[in-house]
Amino acid sequence: MLKSNKRVLALATLASLAFSSVAFAQDAGDTASGKRFSVVGGATLLQPTKSSSNDGIEVDGGPAPTASVSYNFTDNISAELWGALDKFDHRVRNDAGKVGIVEQQPIALSGQYHFGQADNTFRPFVGLGYHHSNISGEDLNPGGEHVSLSTPKGAIGTVGVDMNITPTWFARADARYLRSRADVNQAGVSTGQELKLDPWTVGVGIGARF
């Protein structure tokens, strides 16, 4: 588990360095509008992957408000800090029914590449980075003993599209995949098991550049 996390962190770091090296190789004024920052606010639905590797345990998805702040190195390359403004609530079930609930609040740092010219009406983009999710509000008591989860973390991939409304305002739709695994502890002791969450997110929002 530790080796896997280190490998993911290394890949994310290399990706960020690659984005940065290309960005700083560009002229410092290489944005058509001169606007370096972008902010986006919206709503996101997060759905954990249903997997047989969780021994029959399923975690339902839920919505939450999200926001992002990006620094635009050039018209095509940016770094984005994205996260949930509130917690995603999840109901945990097994074959016998509801086991309990858990909450998570992810945050991620990614490098992004935006295709096309800055004034194109539609601009698709892709991103790669690293995330972690704060786990809280666990109410999991199968067998009468409290169950808690460690902080899931790992790589995050993003695909999306911006629709320019004016030179300042734009609409966004995106989807993200978070490689996210949590260690399971029962009565404060590690069980040696891992809960595979690996959620997908789908989000929409409104953004502004300045």
Side-chain angles (χ1 to χ4, degrees):
M1 178 68 178
L2 182 58
K3 289 182 179 179
S4 176
N5 283 339
K6 286 183 177 178
R7 189 179 301 114
V8 170
L9 180 58
L11 288 173
T13 301
L14 287 173
S16 297
L17 288 173
F19 274 108
S20 298
S21 62
V22 174
F24 285 109
Q26 306 290 326
D27 179 60
D30 191 20
T31 55
S33 65
K35 297 177 179 179
R36 291 292 185 179
F37 291 93
S38 302
V39 294
V40 178
T44 296
L45 176 66
L46 182 147
Q47 177 63 61
T49 300
K50 291 179 170 59
S51 172
S52 59
S53 66
N54 287 334
D55 298 325
I57 295 177
E58 292 187 355
V59 183
D60 290 342
T66 53
S68 68
V69 178
S70 298
Y71 181 80
N72 306 306
F73 296 103
T74 73
D75 286 334
N76 300 102
I77 298 171
S78 64
E80 180 200 57
L81 180 65
W82 170 88
L85 299 176
D86 199 358
K87 298 170 183 177
F88 289 99
D89 297 322
H90 305 295
R91 183 174 62 173
V92 182
R93 298 179 299 170
N94 60 17
D95 295 337
K98 182 178 177 181
V99 175
I101 59 172
V102 66
E103 301 170 338
Q104 70 163 314
Q105 192 168 11
I107 186 170
L109 179 63
S110 299
Q112 292 183 343
Y113 185 84
H114 299 253
F115 298 91
Q117 302 298 315
D119 58 355
N120 288 0
T121 301
F122 293 97
R123 297 197 70 203
F125 63 90
V126 295
L128 178 65
Y130 190 77
H131 82 93
H132 81 268
S133 291
N134 293 319
I135 296 291
S136 62
E138 299 110 307
D139 184 12
L140 306 170
N141 297 283
E145 293 186 327
H146 178 67
V147 173
S148 61
L149 303 175
S150 67
T151 300
K153 60 192 71 174
I156 179 174
T158 306
V159 294
V161 62
D162 291 336
M163 184 183 75
N164 286 321
I165 302 170
T166 72
T168 297
W169 295 95
F170 61 96
R172 171 170 292 184
D174 60 39
R176 302 171 191 266
Y177 175 74
L178 292 74
R179 189 184 186 282
S180 186
R181 314 292 171 87
D183 295 327
V184 179
N185 302 309
Q186 189 165 4
V189 179
S190 174
T191 64
Q193 296 179 320
E194 185 180 68
L195 184 64
K196 181 180 178 180
L197 298 171
D198 291 356
W200 286 92
T201 74
V202 177
V204 293
I206 294 293
R209 304 180 184 94
F210 57 93

